[in-house]
Amino acid sequence: MSVTSDLAELYRDLHAHPELSFAEHRTAAIVARRAKALGYEVTEGIGGTGVVARLTNGPGPLVLLRADMDALPVREQTGLPYASTAIDSGSGQPIMHACGHDMHVTCLLGTLDALAANRDEWSGTVLGVFQPAEETGRGARAMVDDGLFERFGKPEIVLGQHVLPIPVGTVATRAGAILSANDSLLITLHGRGGHGSRPEAAIDPIVMAAATVMRLQTIISREIGATDQAVITVGTLHAGTKENIIAEEAQLGLSIRTYSPELRAKILDAVRRIVHAEAAAAGADREPTIEPVTRLPVTVNDAVALDKTRAALRAALGTDQVQEIPAFPASEDVGILAEASGAPLSFWFFGGADPAKFAAAQQNGTTDRDIPMNHSPYFAPLADPTISHGITAFTAAARAWLNPARPGNPLPESFPAE
Ligand code: ZN
Ligand code: ZN
């Protein structure tokens, strides 16, 4: 593929210049410039730093391809010649593309190029969505709230891919839940402050918080079935300033992981019910407040849609290269694009690890040690041929959902003249 050397250079440049969530200004500008040069209609600043690149090429389905753009507060230790030395000017934190979103941006730009170059072979609309702030779980939501679907139309399918340290050339996916939901909540229990010697004149939020924490434990043990999986962790509990003062309020920070929308809704309902009931039991004057901090839905691959996408991936990469994986205990916000538009999602992982190194580590049982995972300061996907495989996969999946242009048909009116 002729695009590779240019794209490998782009990848190294993006890698050396990572940007934190909602601060992807340089990345967004590069994306916009390149997509325009490919003949796409480009809109910047969607949901902050998001970029949308649209190519309307006659009648047919709208196919959404998504790449996330943000990096992480990690000090890179890969030793690569293009390793990041970036420091966030505001917080002083080191920054690294430790999740491979630089690879996602590169692959989507390569895919947009491939689709534009072969536009006589398909008909429909391609919507490249370069999303900010996946790592904080807010970017997809921000783009949706900024009118992504009202302004650019509702897609037939949402396609997304994530690089993972599995052998390069392989793709891994599954129907149904592929990633867990993660809901973080900040709960404030309002008491009535007072002197520590006169509890009868106060409403003690610490006792309220203690009862709430204990009661929340009964959701997993008493309210969900033995075959369902979920976790509720109360990770923070803050209240009070001094031992002889009854505090005004207490704050709890919760993290909840679930694998099905039904179970997620059930658990969130139970949390709400218990928090309000414990406040009522304590005689609180004010209702507690529950604020969502992070809301990442379960990432669910629509089974019927995935069959179609997977067939295209198999045809493009080889049947054996497309593997089945169990649900992964991490979270993503790509599902929000599907949920908000009503379109099915096809999401898969693609390999970035050296196959020989991976095979050796697997044989020694040392993959955890020798093959650095996403978010590790040593995470280093191979630039080549990961980029070509990512483009092949994304392009094949997109083409499966676009209409094939009928041979002999004149090009549609909306074909951009260049
Ligand atoms: Zn990540
Ligand atoms: Zn990621």
Side-chain angles (χ1 to χ4, degrees), residues 72-248:
L72 285 160
V74 171
R75 190 182 302 280
E76 178 155 0
Q77 292 176 48
T78 58
L80 291 167
Y82 51 93
S84 161
T85 54
I87 303 285
D88 181 53
S89 55
S91 63
Q93 287 171 313
I95 316 174
M96 173 188 174
H97 264 300
C99 204
H101 299 184
D102 45 354
M103 182 61 76
H104 305 167
V105 170
T106 307
C107 289
L108 182 48
L109 281 170
T111 301
L112 297 186
D113 188 5
L115 290 168
N118 296 321
R119 61 184 109 176
D120 54 329
E121 295 176 5
W122 56 271
S123 168
T125 299
V126 170
L127 200 66
V129 171
F130 295 86
Q131 182 209 300
E134 186 280 329
E135 293 292 352
T136 59
R138 291 168 183 267
R141 174 61 54 199
M143 291 190 85
V144 169
D145 290 349
D146 204 7
L148 178 63
F149 300 118
E150 291 78 10
R151 291 160 76 177
F152 302 99
K154 293 206 173 183
E156 198 90 359
I157 181 77
V158 172
L159 301 171
Q161 59 178 3
H162 204 301
V163 66
L164 207 64
I166 54 176
V168 74
T170 58
V171 155
T173 189
R174 78 190 304 271
I178 181 165
L179 292 165
S180 73
N182 178 20
D183 289 271
S184 302
L185 306 175
L186 181 66
I187 296 172
T188 306
L189 301 168
H190 303 284
R192 193 190 310 140
H195 199 284
S197 67
R198 296 197 62 235
E200 76 282 10
I203 293 168
D204 190 344
I206 291 185
V207 174
M208 211 190 302
T212 304
V213 171
M214 294 311 292
R215 184 84 195 188
L216 288 172
Q217 307 306 312
T218 66
I219 298 174
I220 304 295
S221 65
R222 300 291 83 187
E223 296 195 39
I224 75 161
T227 52
D228 283 328
Q229 274 182 298
V231 178
I232 299 177
T233 292
V234 181
T236 63
L237 199 172
H238 298 292
T241 52
K242 198 169 184 303
E243 72 287 352
N244 62 357
I245 298 171
I246 292 172
E248 271 290 304

Side-chain angles (χ1 to χ4, degrees), residues 3 18 22 24 41 57 83 186 207 222 232 244 267 272 277 281 294 313 348 377 418:
V3 290
F22 284 127
E24 309 89 340
E41 179 195 323
N57 186 35
L186 181 66
V207 174
R222 300 291 83 187
I232 299 177
N244 62 357
I267 289 181
R272 245 173 258 130
T294 312
L313 293 173
W348 62 90
E418 273 174 18

Side-chain angles (χ1 to χ4, degrees), residues 190-397:
H190 303 284
R192 193 190 310 140
H195 199 284
S197 67
R198 296 197 62 235
E200 76 282 10
I203 293 168
D204 190 344
I206 291 185
V207 174
M208 211 190 302
T212 304
V213 171
M214 294 311 292
R215 184 84 195 188
L216 288 172
Q217 307 306 312
T218 66
I219 298 174
I220 304 295
S221 65
R222 300 291 83 187
E223 296 195 39
I224 75 161
T227 52
D228 283 328
Q229 274 182 298
V231 178
I232 299 177
T233 292
V234 181
T236 63
L237 199 172
H238 298 292
T241 52
K242 198 169 184 303
E243 72 287 352
N244 62 357
I245 298 171
I246 292 172
E248 271 290 304
E249 60 177 41
Q251 285 195 321
L252 310 180
L254 270 64
S255 168
I256 302 165
R257 304 265 170 174
T258 48
Y259 285 101
S260 81
E262 295 75 26
L263 192 58
R264 172 179 176 269
K266 185 175 175 180
I267 289 181
L268 289 175
D269 275 351
V271 167
R272 245 173 258 130
R273 190 190 75 236
I274 287 171
V275 167
H276 282 274
E278 286 296 344
D285 304 320
R286 274 177 68 194
E287 288 289 329
T289 49
I290 304 179
E291 297 163 59
V293 180
T294 312
R295 183 203 171 278
L296 290 165
V298 191
T299 305
V300 182
N301 271 330
D302 180 89
V304 176
L306 189 70
D307 275 347
K308 180 167 167 172
T309 307
R310 191 156 40 187
L313 293 173
R314 283 188 179 130
L317 298 165
T319 304
D320 294 345
Q321 301 299 95
V322 181
Q323 297 163 359
E324 181 80 14
I325 46 153
F328 210 64
S331 305
E332 248 286 350
D333 70 352
V334 67
I336 290 174
L337 299 177
E339 200 177 273
S341 64
L345 172 72
S346 287
F347 183 79
W348 62 90
F349 297 105
F350 66 112
D354 183 327
K357 248 192 217 168
F358 189 89
Q362 209 169 26
Q363 203 160 24
N364 301 331
T366 54
T367 42
D368 284 348
R369 195 193 64 200
D370 297 344
I371 308 292
M373 190 59 198
N374 303 59
H375 291 206
S376 154
Y378 298 96
F379 179 69
L382 295 175
D384 189 23
T386 307
I387 296 169
S388 333
H389 285 292
I391 294 169
T392 302
F394 232 168
T395 307

